[in-house]
Amino acid sequence: MIQKKTGRALATTALALLLSAGVVAMQPQDAKAEPQRGGTVQLAVTPEPPSLMLGLFQNGPTQMIAGDIYESLLRYDTDLTPQPSLAESWEISDDQLVYTFKLREGVLWHDGEPFTADDVIFSLDVFLREVHPRWRPTVNAQVASIEKTGDYEVTITLNEPFEPIMLSFEVGTTPMIPRHIYEGTDYRANPMNATPIGTGPMKFVEWDSGSYVHLERNEDYYLEGRPYIDEVYYRFIPDAASRAVAFETGTIDVLTGGSVEIFDVPRLEQQDNVCVTTAGWEMFSPHAWVALNVREGALAEKSFRQAMMHAIDRDFARDVVWSGFGTVANSPISSRTLFHSTDLPEYAFDPDRARELIAESSYDGETIDFLVLPYGETWTRWAEATRQNLEDVGINMNLVTTDVAGWSERVGSFNFQMTHNFLYQYGDPALGVSRSYVSSNIVQGNPFSNVMGYANEEVDRLFAEAANAASEDRPALYQRVQEILVDELPVLWMIEMDFPTVYRCDLQDFITTAIGVNDTFRDAWLQQ
Amino acid sequence: MPLLRFIAGRLVKGVIVLIAIATMNFFLIRAAPGDPASVLAGEAGAADEEFLRQLREQFGLDQPIMTQLWIYLTDIITLDLGFSYRQGRPVLELIMERLPATLLLTGAAFIFSLTLGIIFGILAARRVGKWSDTAITTGALFFYATPLFWIALMSQIIFALWLGWLPNTGFRTIGAGYTGLRHALDVGMHLILPATTLGLFFTALYTRMMRASMLEIAGSDFVKTARAKGVPEGRIVRRHIARNAILPVVTLAGLQAGQIVGGAVLTETVFGWPGIGRLMFEALAQRDYQVLLGVFFVSSAMVVLFNLITDVVYRVADPRIEVGR
Amino acid sequence: MKAFFKRFARNKGAVVGLIILAIILAAAILAPVLYPTSPWRMVTRPFLPPMSPGGFWLGTDALGRDVASGIMHGARVSLIIGLVSTLTALAIGIPIGALAGYFGGLIDDALMRFTEFFQTIPAFALAIVIVAILQPSLYSIVLAIAIVSWPPVARLVRGEVLSLRTREYVQASIVIGQSTSRIILTQVLPNTIAPITVMASIMVASAILLESALSFLGLGDPNMMTWGYMIGAGRTRLIEAWWISFFPGVAIFLTVLALNLVGEGLNDALNPRLSREGG
């Protein structure tokens, strides 16, 4: 992870940096500054989320805000090692089929009701099984039963070993839902969705539509003394330039990842008391690529796709378009998660090689449409640069813009030729990677499925086998699948993305987990 | 009571126009690619068919389109603007929450631009050809020809970032807990930049119109007569020229007042002003049909209302004028 | 005609406007000659300030594209959008206004209700929705601008026709049995050209402003280099690279200014009654 801090005070802030990087474990206990109570933090989040009901909505901004209202069984450190949260401890049987979670006692929902095993059963087996698009496939395919084995004990039994399930208990995938509020109701119409009740360190106070969400300290939180910060405001400022100005003028203390345009980061970083971190995204490790509709035309040919890979200047994209943030990607599996292979051929930026390959292909000058990902200016610039790269080797390009709805609709119905996309990896290839390449996931309506239409029986088989294989067998299987995909290029991997968070250095222990941008305020405190 | 009959007639026509607008917008908006469910899927970064089906069912989007239209129109007649798909709240509530901010912004911009426009217009007309006239007309042309968003960006950088005099975004200082006079002052500080930016274009417009109107009336017979009778020049300008010149300017301003409400989208976006213009733009991007339709309905209703008020004021102010169509 | 030019030339502003306009037109025509490569091409390092060596007089943008080339090529697109959308608006507004004014009665009533309908919907919001629905492209932008800007044309033409049709020569044509379409086309419309021309010059200016506003909101054609696009793309870097959006802003300003000045000059020249002699 990149940790950047410039300016004169480098030495004095080194400690704070290490702490905020989430490598607390490496620090001797006495070197750690004593957290202080109190203070207000204002964060910019964009766009304004549809809802804060984390079970029903998984939008980025929903997760950022509600990640402190709700909690799940586990948290993860930045190496993706499970840590206790609502589960105090857990045991995995030797055959890797039975997972037993011991819950923390004395936890209260924000409305004062006690949190028990019944809530866990309701959340995992009923509520989320019905509504959650990521938990649903896992629970339906892999889980045999979820049982209450004590007031504070829950046992999950699997059909087959499925190692990645231990990465599913983060708050975005399996938030604990209060049974006493939702059981027997129409979940999506429940009026309590407007005033979310969780067990987390922050309580919902108010949502002033178009302006902000206000959270306050949960006085009854089960960790003594925590959280440290009294009030948190998540502000909605629609214009990126205004957000940057608001940060500079001190209106806002934190620009969360995605709410700051990446090219503003180096400038903001120059200022006093400004820290920048790319930590807190390890679980997601967003992987950016150009998706190709491989069903027809030149795009159906491997050599043409390889030509494009040689034609696109990924270093330029990283250095100029993304202001130096991110790592050039060479594999379907991010180097920041498990099972990434370093032993793969690389496609160098080589326009001449690209022209050769195009000459060998059936490409005959037809115009190829590139659908611009409508997620802000940087993506538009990137599309423009990509168009130029491809035109330089003789491919005629046409950019097409639309908004999120149009993009989602077109990509989800396979009505595109090329587009940028970035997908979260969720720590394990079985959770975040295979979904893009297996032929069983060529389904309409969802822009995050195998929209490319890529089908390869061996890839299907390898992914299926690897998901349920024993730990020691998995690396070899994933190595093989990476080799095939890197040769065939169903998508053109571009960059392992960084979403830097820009914040005032007074904020300590700010981002400490693998989803640190979401579950910030259990540990964060303000140096006063 | 011809005035009352006139108002009633206009109201009936207004309602018919509004229903026609609602119907057209309904189909227009449905023609856009994607729907609220696909937006939520696109934003969530994860979705499956079941997720989309559940959302569409919840939103009532699985009903035939004519059924949806019928439901919408029958609701709208009872002023029920429906529910926001995205936020699960009544549209009327959402709009009413945002409307005061927009009315404050546009109202301030309107008064600011009309007052300044009339003053500058009179000043320029009185000193035609002199340097102050040139300065005013050049300034007016400058603001007339410069893109609004450009001025918005520049003013943010100058007044918020460099000088630090004014806040650059938002409606009030969040978390400060101001009340009473302090609150009003705080909102006022936040209002200055957006209202000025929005108002500058109209100031320029009204200045030019006022000037032209002044000059036209200055050349008319009754002014010449007054001058011949030896009425003092200051009195001529005040009582004879300015008075008559203001009427057409105010009329046009009134007709535009309704449009300003819809035109505040850019200003509200750049300055993070939580008004209905931004609500509309976001609802469009999110395909939150009901909210989008609701904002269109309310702002169109505003136009109808302002036009009516203008006509009535005009009629009362100058009974000679036949307020036909 | 001579008198027309004389009256036009008397308005110094109008002459200045005409000169500016000529320069912009020349830029638009000469763009492919002076800057033969695409304005989208990344030619050098990004963020070169103005007057940089290598001939980058106006600097380069975030991807190393030449701002000067963008301005020149942008002039073409901006002018084309301004002209075509104005012509489209005229093509909608003139027939509606002429028919309404000429026939009066029920037709007038219906057409004016229709016009009112479009004037009641907030114009900018409607333009945004149209472009978003049709997806941003040259055509959808032109269409959106035309749809929101024709009503004033219809009202103007209707007013003119209303007064023209009572004139003796029109009445005479009716009496001798000329066909209605012939009367409208040969007797009535030619006499509305003057006010329409004045209005059209202003409309081109508004169209350019409207296009830039749409581009600013991200609703521009991604394959067309326009000034509005350049400002929108450069605005977030205003603090460290002011030139990216400053120069296209100046270009829009000058064009709109010039068109307005010319419009005023035309007004003076074509409607001598209303010329601003002033007191």
Side-chain angles (χ1 to χ4, degrees):
Chain A
M1 283 297 95
I2 304 163
Q3 272 292 338
K4 289 190 182 174
K5 165 70 194 165
T6 48
R8 290 136 283 170
L10 206 68
T12 52
T13 49
L15 175 66
L17 272 176
L18 283 168
L19 292 176
S20 61
V23 284
V24 188
M26 284 163 52
Q27 289 293 313
Q29 203 56 38
D30 55 31
K32 195 179 165 186
E34 193 59 35
Q36 290 172 299
R37 261 295 311 279
T40 300
V41 178
Q42 307 228 11
L43 305 91
V45 169
T46 205
E48 185 165 357
S51 164
L52 295 179
M53 182 22 184
L54 192 51
L56 297 170
F57 294 89
Q58 288 83 39
N59 302 33
T62 301
Q63 296 204 39
M64 280 190 186
I65 301 170
D68 277 311
I69 300 173
Y70 293 94
E71 286 182 306
S72 187
L73 298 180
L74 303 176
R75 302 173 98 216
Y76 300 86
D77 71 14
T78 46
D79 300 329
L80 301 178
T81 312
Q83 303 291 325
S85 181
L86 286 172
E88 225 166 26
S89 62
W90 53 95
E91 273 171 34
I92 304 171
S93 67
D94 291 337
D95 58 5
Q96 294 187 30
L97 286 177
V98 182
Y99 290 67
T100 308
F101 293 92
K102 276 209 78 72
L103 305 179
R104 191 182 286 275
E105 295 184 30
V107 176
L108 297 178
W109 293 101
H110 292 162
D111 59 3
E113 295 285 318
F115 164 82
T116 68
D118 292 326
D119 291 306
V120 181
I121 303 292
F122 173 73
S123 303
L124 296 181
D125 209 23
V126 184
F127 188 99
L128 298 173
R129 186 196 284 272
E130 184 176 334
V131 300
H132 198 296
R134 275 189 291 113
W135 175 247
R136 189 190 304 122
T138 306
V139 74
N140 286 343
Q142 309 290 350
V143 176
S145 69
I146 303 174
E147 285 158 323
K148 174 179 174 181
T149 43
D151 278 347
Y152 295 95
E153 190 181 279
V154 170
T155 303
I156 299 177
T157 310
L158 305 182
N159 298 322
E160 285 180 86
F162 185 64
E163 198 182 42
I165 197 161
M166 269 309 270
L167 289 171
S168 292
F169 299 109
E170 58 95 16
V171 68
T173 311
T174 51
M176 289 301 120
I177 308 296
R179 188 177 79 129
H180 63 280
I181 290 173
Y182 285 95
E183 189 170 46
T185 68
D186 176 353
Y187 304 148
R188 291 184 182 278
N190 194 315
M192 288 299 284
N193 291 343
T195 52
I197 298 286
T199 59
M202 288 288 160
K203 282 164 78 164
F204 175 82
V205 180
E206 181 196 14
W207 184 343
D208 187 350
S209 156
S211 290
Y212 64 88
V213 167
H214 178 194
L215 307 182
E216 67 178 4
R217 183 173 185 271
N218 177 4
E219 299 284 340
D220 302 320
Y221 196 60
Y222 51 84
L223 292 178
E224 194 52 39
R226 295 195 198 200
Y228 302 112
I229 289 174
D230 288 333
E231 322 249 358
V232 174
Y233 290 88
Y234 289 93
R235 304 273 301 261
F236 310 120
I237 302 173
D239 184 70
S242 302
R243 285 195 293 274
V245 173
F247 181 79
E248 286 181 75
T249 53
T251 313
I252 278 180
D253 307 309
V254 181
L255 290 167
T256 54
S259 71
V260 56
E261 289 287 356
I262 202 131
F263 50 76
D264 273 332
V265 176
R267 177 171 58 84
L268 296 173
E269 204 180 12
Q270 301 297 320
Q271 297 171 356
D272 284 343
N273 193 28
V274 173
C275 287
V276 172
T277 179
T278 56
W281 290 86
E282 292 78 4
M283 176 69 87
F284 310 122
S285 299
H287 212 51
W289 63 63
V290 175
L292 307 170
N293 195 332
V294 300
R295 289 174 183 80
E296 57 189 50
L299 291 170
E301 285 172 49
K302 186 169 86 176
S303 62
F304 186 69
R305 301 198 293 265
Q306 288 174 336
M308 287 183 146
M309 196 66 161
H310 280 299
I312 297 173
D313 189 348
R314 291 179 289 165
D315 287 309
F316 175 85
R318 199 264 317 271
D319 294 341
V320 174
V321 179
W322 293 98
S323 300
F325 285 95
T327 317
V328 169
N330 285 309
S331 153
I333 298 176
S334 171
S335 67
R336 298 163 181 189
T337 61
L338 312 170
F339 305 109
H340 169 75
S341 165
T342 49
D343 181 23
L344 293 167
E346 285 183 22
Y347 292 87
F349 172 56
D350 187 349
D352 292 329
R353 178 81 190 114
R355 285 190 201 96
E356 278 169 39
L357 285 164
I358 290 169
E360 288 165 23
S361 76
S362 71
Y363 178 73
D364 198 22
E366 61 267 28
T367 301
I368 295 180
D369 283 341
F370 191 108
L371 191 62
V372 181
L373 183 64
Y375 283 1
E377 210 195 309
T378 313
W379 292 97
T380 312
R381 289 298 90 69
W382 199 4
E384 288 163 11
T386 307
R387 168 181 62 188
Q388 196 62 52
N389 280 160
L390 295 173
E391 286 190 339
D392 283 347
V393 297
I395 304 172
N396 291 317
M397 300 294 298
N398 179 48
L399 292 191
V400 179
T401 45
T402 178
D403 53 13
V404 174
W407 180 85
S408 191
E409 167 75 22
R410 288 191 61 169
V411 176
S413 57
F414 313 148
N415 177 20
F416 73 104
Q417 287 185 285
M418 295 175 73
T419 185
H420 275 131
N421 202 351
F422 67 96
L423 265 75
Y424 289 175
Q425 303 253 312
Y426 295 111
D428 192 291
L431 296 175
V433 177
S434 62
R435 58 177 171 156
S436 301
Y437 308 104
V438 296
S439 61
S440 59
N441 204 24
I442 304 179
V443 288
Q444 292 224 356
N446 170 11
F448 308 102
S449 64
N450 181 352
V451 292
M452 292 73 75
Y454 174 74
N456 179 323
E457 279 176 26
E458 193 177 3
V459 169
D460 290 353
R461 189 185 57 76
L462 286 166
F463 269 125
E465 210 173 295
N468 296 109
S471 306
E472 59 276 16
D473 299 333
R474 301 184 74 204
L477 294 164
Y478 284 123
Q479 170 69 30
R480 180 77 199 109
V481 93
Q482 287 176 84
E483 283 165 12
I484 299 174
L485 290 173
V486 166
D487 179 53
E488 301 213 315
L489 295 177
V491 304
L492 312 178
W493 301 285
M494 292 283 130
I495 284 176
E496 297 170 1
M497 302 174 69
D498 279 326
F499 286 110
T501 305
V502 182
Y503 62 104
R504 310 239 176 264
C505 300
D506 315 336
L507 269 170
Q508 307 284 326
D509 292 351
F510 182 50
I511 287 173
T512 56
T513 71
I515 59 160
V517 291
N518 296 343
D519 59 1
T520 311
F521 287 102
R522 193 183 85 162
D523 302 328
W525 56 280
L526 208 53
Q527 180 99 52
Q528 277 149 351
Chain B
M1 289 296 275
L3 188 65
L4 277 185
R5 264 189 58 191
F6 165 72
I7 294 176
R10 283 288 297 267
L11 278 178
V12 171
K13 275 184 186 167
V15 168
I16 294 169
V17 168
L18 285 179
I19 289 177
I21 287 177
T23 311
M24 187 194 81
N25 283 338
F26 182 88
F27 286 110
L28 199 61
I29 286 157
R30 296 303 168 110
D35 67 7
S38 59
V39 177
L40 287 170
E43 286 178 344
D48 55 8
E49 281 165 294
E50 177 60 18
F51 178 77
L52 291 168
R53 195 196 58 73
Q54 284 175 3
L55 285 176
R56 292 195 176 117
E57 188 186 295
Q58 180 204 352
F59 298 159
L61 297 172
D62 50 349
Q63 309 257 338
I65 187 132
M66 292 318 283
T67 315
Q68 292 181 44
L69 174 64
W70 177 247
I71 293 171
Y72 186 70
L73 288 182
T74 44
D75 282 352
I76 227 175
I77 287 167
T78 58
L79 282 183
D80 173 1
L81 298 182
F83 264 83
S84 158
Y85 298 133
R86 202 176 156 87
Q87 305 190 28
R89 295 172 55 203
V91 172
L92 197 64
E93 193 180 303
L94 278 171
I95 291 177
M96 284 307 155
E97 228 171 65
R98 301 286 193 97
L99 196 58
T102 295
L103 289 180
L104 181 66
L105 172 65
T106 51
F110 182 71
I111 291 167
F112 162 83
S113 54
L114 195 57
T115 318
L116 274 189
I118 287 173
I119 292 173
F120 281 139
I122 293 175
L123 284 179
R126 286 210 61 185
R127 296 185 174 73
V128 168
K130 303 233 175 64
W131 72 268
S132 53
D133 173 37
T134 316
I136 290 174
T137 37
T138 312
L141 256 178
F142 177 81
F143 287 115
Y144 187 75
T146 313
L148 187 93
F149 50 88
W150 166 255
I151 297 177
L153 295 174
M154 287 304 176
S155 65
Q156 275 193 355
I157 288 184
I158 294 170
F159 294 103
L161 195 63
W162 290 352
L163 299 174
W165 291 349
L166 296 166
N168 81 309
T169 184
F171 179 75
R172 61 192 172 90
T173 309
I174 287 164
Y178 295 139
T179 49
L181 199 64
R182 188 73 191 75
H183 172 70
L185 203 68
D186 183 46
V187 172
M189 290 295 279
H190 282 82
L191 181 63
I192 292 176
L193 281 185
T196 317
T197 307
L198 183 60
L200 275 177
F201 173 80
F202 292 99
T203 310
L205 188 70
Y206 300 148
T207 302
R208 298 177 67 187
M209 277 175 47
M210 188 65 197
R211 181 178 176 279
S213 178
M214 288 279 290
L215 291 181
E216 196 177 332
I217 288 175
S220 64
D221 292 341
F222 74 94
V223 174
K224 285 180 184 149
T225 315
R227 212 168 259 144
K229 278 200 286 186
V231 181
E233 188 61 26
R235 196 181 154 86
I236 291 181
V237 171
R238 259 182 290 119
R239 302 291 300 268
H240 296 264
I241 308 178
R243 235 191 194 187
N244 286 293
I246 281 178
L247 202 59
V249 176
V250 171
T251 310
L252 191 93
L255 292 176
Q256 280 176 340
Q259 287 282 348
I260 300 184
V261 175
V265 181
L266 270 177
T267 317
E268 290 182 359
T269 306
V270 178
F271 288 102
W273 192 260
I276 60 168
R278 229 182 91 196
L279 185 67
M280 180 230 114
F281 193 56
E282 281 163 11
L284 172 66
Q286 294 154 352
R287 300 292 185 273
D288 202 342
Y289 301 140
Q290 309 278 45
V291 175
L292 188 56
L293 287 171
V295 175
F296 263 109
F297 184 79
V298 168
S299 44
S300 302
M302 213 81 92
V303 176
V304 171
L305 195 70
F306 277 114
N307 288 0
L308 179 61
I309 292 172
T310 311
D311 279 354
V312 170
V313 168
Y314 202 64
R315 204 178 154 107
V316 171
D318 193 348
R320 284 168 308 165
I321 288 156
E322 187 61 42
V323 191
R325 31 173 147 259
Chain C
M1 212 52 184
K2 220 171 167 188
F4 167 81
F5 281 118
K6 234 176 155 179
R7 280 198 301 269
F8 187 86
R10 215 186 315 161
N11 184 334
K12 284 197 202 75
V15 177
V16 172
L18 205 60
I19 294 170
I20 299 177
L21 213 54
I23 295 173
I24 294 165
L25 212 62
I29 293 166
L30 292 178
V33 182
L34 293 173
Y35 291 92
T37 50
S38 155
W40 297 98
R41 174 166 293 272
M42 301 165 279
V43 285
T44 180
R45 281 189 300 123
F47 298 122
L48 284 184
M51 308 308 286
S52 288
F56 301 107
W57 307 114
L58 304 183
T60 61
D61 78 352
L63 293 182
R65 299 178 294 214
D66 190 347
V67 174
S69 170
I71 299 247
M72 302 274 280
H73 285 267
R76 315 189 95 189
V77 183
S78 295
L79 288 182
I80 288 173
I81 286 179
L83 282 174
V84 177
S85 53
T86 300
L87 289 177
T88 315
L90 294 180
I92 306 172
I94 293 176
I96 289 182
L99 292 178
Y102 189 84
F103 289 110
L106 217 62
I107 293 177
D108 182 26
D109 216 37
L111 288 175
M112 281 302 107
R113 283 291 87 71
F114 185 65
T115 311
E116 218 168 74
F117 173 85
F118 276 93
Q119 283 191 306
T120 308
I121 308 175
F124 187 54
L126 182 63
I128 291 175
V129 171
I130 291 172
V131 176
I133 288 171
L134 297 177
Q135 312 285 291
S137 73
L138 189 61
Y139 306 104
S140 64
I141 292 166
V142 164
L143 186 73
I145 296 176
I147 284 180
V148 300
S149 43
W150 68 266
V153 180
R155 286 187 171 264
L156 176 85
V157 172
R158 172 179 173 272
E160 292 287 320
V161 171
L162 219 53
S163 76
L164 281 171
R165 71 169 305 223
T166 57
R167 300 278 169 86
E168 280 157 18
Y169 61 90
V170 176
Q171 291 299 326
S173 307
I174 296 174
V175 172
I176 62 169
Q178 272 191 345
S179 74
T180 311
S181 57
R182 197 181 154 86
I183 296 175
I184 293 180
L185 288 176
T186 60
Q187 309 278 354
V188 178
L189 281 183
N191 284 298
T192 62
I193 285 178
I196 290 175
T197 313
V198 173
M199 189 177 226
S201 66
I202 311 283
M203 280 170 69
V204 175
S206 327
I208 291 174
L209 278 178
L210 194 53
E211 189 279 331
S212 72
L214 288 170
S215 272
F216 178 79
L217 286 174
L219 295 169
D221 184 327
N223 300 295
M224 297 280 178
M225 182 63 85
T226 71
W227 296 332
Y229 161 82
M230 294 173 78
I231 297 181
R235 74 193 176 105
T236 37
R237 319 250 178 142
L238 214 51
I239 298 163
E240 68 262 57
W242 53 271
W243 57 90
I244 303 177
S245 38
F246 179 79
F247 292 116
V250 171
I252 293 180
F253 165 68
L254 286 176
T255 312
V256 174
L257 182 75
L259 284 164
N260 274 289
L261 290 173
V262 170
E264 265 174 31
L266 285 175
N267 194 34
D268 289 0
L270 294 168
N271 306 320
R273 286 172 293 131
L274 293 176
S275 75
R276 26 177 231 162
E277 283 142 27

